[in-house]
Amino acid sequence: MSDRPNRDNQNNARGGRPQRSGGPRRRDDRNDRGERGDRRERGDWEDRRGNREDRRGRPGGERRHAQRAGADRSPHKRSAPQRSGFREERLNKRMTEPDLPDDIDIHDLDPLVLQDLKVLSKDNADAVAKHMFMAATLMEDDPQLALRHARAAKDRAGRVAVARETNGIAAYRAGEWREALSELRAARRMSGGPGFMAVMADCERGLGRPEKAVEMGRSEEARQLDREGAVELGIVIAGARLDMNQPESAVVTLQRLNPDLGSTGRINARLSYAYADALAAAGRVDEAKEWFAHADRIDEDDMLDAAERLSELS
């Protein structure tokens, strides 16, 4: 079965999409960040969630930027003149922002996220942080409302990398592939690093361009990813190969990541599942059953439907 991105069910465990929740992290989520770029592909709010990545949206590691927002600004440089109607447009956008609960504690966000927002005025920084908090909180249960909050944060802080990242991950979760690509590219330009590659490649699949996802796997940036980021990107590329009706190529893609029947852990469970899926698509049913069984054994978080797939093949 192909693991093409599922626009109707953003949490489908059978898909080849990176299982991360990217964007700003709440303080107690810092050990489960999903694809942030320089951390774990790190994206998932789990990345920030990121590489993060890992954003969902990424375990371990501190979020760091190659360049902090505003770090290269000179006090002698003047801002570009604002275009006509800019102020009115900004006010209109703020009037349509989603409501914010009164009891939000912005200090539940990662302190490094709050540090990035200090380039803004205090009132604006507080509002951006609250919208980012709501985006992170609603990502799983109401991705459309999460995206509205993320857009509000981006509109208020468009030159802050974490705000663009939040918008990108939220758009990805809501199935807005084109918007997600645009925002994540902007975040990467601002912060540097190879982050978000798996999410961005998966957006290319969602846009019906699996060949572009495959091209990303051949890039120099792909070689900079850590183990987890490389696995997440490999899973997406294998899915792109299945989209292109190339199951044997999908198998080879995942073999390069050295799947191991003695492995444990979340990322290896996902790799084993994707490998089993590619084997099944290639008609190698006995091998697929072995790997689905392994994925089921080590899936401690019960995120995958490996047992169901195994039953289907028996």
Side-chain angles (χ1 to χ4, degrees), residues 97 100 106 122-132 152-153 156:
E97 289 178 354
L100 292 166
I106 63 172
K122 184 180 186 307
D123 287 347
N124 193 34
D126 286 350
V128 171
K130 289 177 179 179
H131 281 299
M132 291 172 68
R156 285 175 170 269

Side-chain angles (χ1 to χ4, degrees), residues 1 36 42 44 79 127 139 203 232 241-242 258 268 282:
M1 155 182 166
R36 178 153 175 131
R42 221 168 145 142
D44 252 263
S79 299
M139 193 75 71
C203 288
E232 292 288 8
R241 290 293 190 182
L242 293 180
N258 301 315
N268 287 311

Side-chain angles (χ1 to χ4, degrees), residues 49-205:
R49 215 252 203 316
N51 257 13
R52 42 167 319 196
E53 334 133 196
D54 231 330
R55 312 13 34 126
R56 169 224 202 160
R58 317 167 192 127
E62 286 297 324
R63 182 180 63 78
R64 19 180 219 286
H65 291 302
Q67 173 181 315
R68 287 284 179 191
D72 63 343
R73 293 181 186 172
S74 165
H76 304 295
K77 291 182 181 179
R78 295 179 181 273
S79 299
Q82 293 181 353
R83 58 181 170 78
S84 175
F86 172 81
R87 185 179 299 276
E88 292 77 9
E89 180 181 322
R90 183 175 63 180
L91 290 174
N92 288 336
K93 284 184 177 180
R94 292 189 179 183
M95 290 177 64
T96 60
E97 289 178 354
D99 293 335
L100 292 166
D102 295 330
D103 59 349
I104 296 176
D105 183 357
I106 63 172
H107 295 97
D108 284 339
L109 287 174
D110 188 316
L112 290 177
V113 172
L114 298 178
Q115 180 67 32
D116 281 1
L117 298 181
K118 286 187 176 181
V119 299
L120 307 173
S121 68
K122 184 180 186 307
D123 287 347
N124 193 34
D126 286 350
V128 171
K130 289 177 179 179
H131 281 299
M132 291 172 68
F133 178 92
M134 291 303 298
T137 301
L138 294 166
M139 193 75 71
E140 297 292 339
D141 297 332
D142 193 340
Q144 294 298 329
L145 182 53
L147 179 55
R148 289 186 60 206
H149 280 288
R151 286 169 174 166
K154 189 281 296 281
D155 288 341
R156 285 175 170 269
R159 295 184 180 181
V160 179
V162 67
R164 305 301 289 267
E165 176 185 330
T166 300
N167 195 170
I169 296 298
Y172 172 68
R173 286 304 186 100
E176 297 292 342
W177 318 118
R178 199 174 303 278
E179 180 180 357
L181 269 176
S182 175
E183 295 302 321
L184 292 176
R185 283 171 178 160
R188 285 177 48 154
R189 285 195 300 269
M190 294 175 181
S191 62
F196 311 116
M197 289 198 71
V199 171
M200 293 171 68
D202 207 38
C203 288
E204 295 288 7
R205 292 179 61 208

